[in-house]
Amino acid sequence: MEGGLRFTVLWSTIDKTMHYHGFDELGLKDCTDRDLVISGFKRNLETIPICVGFFRVGDALFMVGGKSCTRFKRTLEPTNRLWSALPPPDGSFCESWTLCPATMKVKRSVPILVPLRDGRIFICGGTSEQEGWAEFYDPEKGEFEGKNLLVSMGCPHPISCFQWTDQVVMVYYHHGGKGLHKPCKPSLLSYNIVEDKWDKFEENLPPPLYDMGKRNLVYVGGDILFIIDYACLWFVYDLSSRKEVGEVCVKARPRGELVPVMEAFYAGNKDVKSTSWVFYIFMAMPDDNYCDLEYAKVEVVQAKGGDYIATVQTKGVLKVGPFYDIYIFAEKDKKGKEKMDG
């Protein structure tokens, strides 16, 4: 499937085993449920950390930051370490993650990150330190470069970020305060990569519909940003005019009324302005005590009058089994070789 999305799902179970499954868009068919051929990583002597950040470079998986126990302390402590691994073969469990020599400048729990168009990884938050609040990781050099946050900006706690232009990265937050997560206005920080400059971009974003430390800001190209909290209601925000320009009501809801969306991804080309967009959204199933993962493919079209009309094209359930920690990320699939089994 040339140019489609390739998804990676990693989840931990009660026995601290980390499971893995990779697939492309062809795997997300319209079905009630789908059993998976699950792979994974064996447990190390040291417990796999929680609250980490994940990214992928080529075929290699990377895990950064998070909290883990040391051999000498039973409490969870933030870490600045980086691990790498190759995806295990289908249906098998391989040796666990390898510790990389490079370390971040600061320790981070729940780091927020985004792969940049130049191949680097932008990492921010997860710390109360303004010095080194953000970092770039260069996979080719295997090095981190720290970036300080301005003192006047306080200490925001980001929960989402995206790259707007080749030069500008946007960071979203609605909590701030050093050491404490105090509510504040839903805001965007902008960072100019070329000029090495931070700015407070705007503080008037639509308030979150629920506050669970997660919000999906999905940039679709041009100046359009979709903000997705619940599966049934989305916001459309114009970055140029800096205001909300519409709402998306998903009438054929994937399930129930107010279902929080764990992750949302845009399947189109961000380099082309459009009035039609296709998204994939993933939701936990709390009725089953976080057992399995629901998904839906949603098309949104902007009508001539300016209204946004949504249609659920496909939906189903990934049978991942019980989990307590799950991570989902996606990238453009240039090879189109990975398919979902089952």
Side-chain angles (χ1 to χ4, degrees), residues 49-244:
I50 62 172
C51 304
V52 300
F54 280 104
F55 60 93
R56 187 166 188 157
V57 178
D59 292 330
L61 300 170
F62 288 86
M63 176 171 60
V64 64
K67 291 183 177 181
S68 62
C69 295
T70 66
R71 295 180 181 179
F72 307 103
K73 291 185 178 181
R74 304 291 294 179
T75 57
L76 291 171
E77 297 287 344
T79 179
N80 62 348
R81 292 188 289 183
L82 174 73
W83 296 263
S84 67
L86 291 175
D90 289 346
S92 66
F93 282 75
C94 65
E95 295 301 322
S96 197
W97 298 75
T98 300
L99 186 63
C100 300
T103 58
M104 292 186 292
K105 305 302 180 183
V106 299
K107 297 179 179 180
R108 303 178 191 274
S109 173
V110 198
I112 304 301
L113 57 86
V114 61
L116 301 179
R117 298 167 194 170
D118 63 9
R120 293 182 296 170
I121 310 298
F122 178 82
I123 306 168
C124 66
T127 177
S128 296
E129 301 297 328
Q130 290 181 312
E131 185 175 349
W133 186 84
E135 301 189 44
F136 290 96
Y137 176 68
D138 189 328
E140 291 188 0
K141 297 180 180 179
E143 297 176 351
F144 287 94
E145 179 186 2
K147 296 295 178 181
N148 299 340
L149 192 64
L150 296 177
V151 175
S152 60
M153 293 182 172
C155 191
H157 296 278
I159 58 174
S160 187
C161 66
F162 62 93
Q163 186 170 10
W164 182 16
T165 67
D166 289 342
Q167 297 183 359
V168 177
V169 176
M170 291 291 196
V171 179
Y172 170 83
Y173 65 98
H174 57 248
H175 284 92
K178 195 164 186 176
L180 298 173
H181 288 214
K182 297 180 180 179
C184 60
K185 295 179 180 179
S187 304
L188 281 175
L189 286 180
S190 67
Y191 177 71
N192 190 300
I193 301 170
V194 176
E195 299 177 1
D196 188 20
K197 181 181 178 182
W198 292 97
D199 280 309
K200 281 194 174 182
F201 183 80
E202 195 51 77
E203 296 179 330
N204 72 335
L205 275 74
L209 299 179
Y210 72 98
D211 193 358
M212 295 292 289
K214 173 66 182 177
R215 198 169 205 199
N216 299 284
L217 272 65
V218 185
Y219 175 64
V220 297
D223 298 320
I224 300 301
L225 178 70
F226 282 79
I227 303 174
I228 303 174
D229 296 322
Y230 286 122
C232 63
L233 180 62
W234 309 357
F235 301 106
V236 186
Y237 188 86
D238 188 292
L239 292 164
S240 179
S241 62
R242 305 191 184 195
K243 65 180 182 180
E244 180 186 339

Side-chain angles (χ1 to χ4, degrees), residues 218-293:
V218 185
Y219 175 64
V220 297
D223 298 320
I224 300 301
L225 178 70
F226 282 79
I227 303 174
I228 303 174
D229 296 322
Y230 286 122
C232 63
L233 180 62
W234 309 357
F235 301 106
V236 186
Y237 188 86
D238 188 292
L239 292 164
S240 179
S241 62
R242 305 191 184 195
K243 65 180 182 180
E244 180 186 339
V245 294
E247 293 183 352
V248 180
C249 181
V250 185
K251 295 181 179 179
R253 288 181 292 274
R255 172 177 55 84
E257 288 290 335
L258 301 177
V259 182
V261 174
M262 297 182 64
E263 296 289 350
F265 304 99
Y266 173 51
N269 186 350
K270 297 178 183 178
D271 296 328
V272 179
K273 292 184 179 181
S274 179
T275 56
S276 175
W277 307 271
V278 173
F279 301 86
Y280 288 92
I281 60 175
F282 294 85
M283 300 143 286
M285 301 186 69
D287 295 341
D288 294 329
N289 295 318
Y290 292 97
C291 179
D292 301 332
L293 192 66

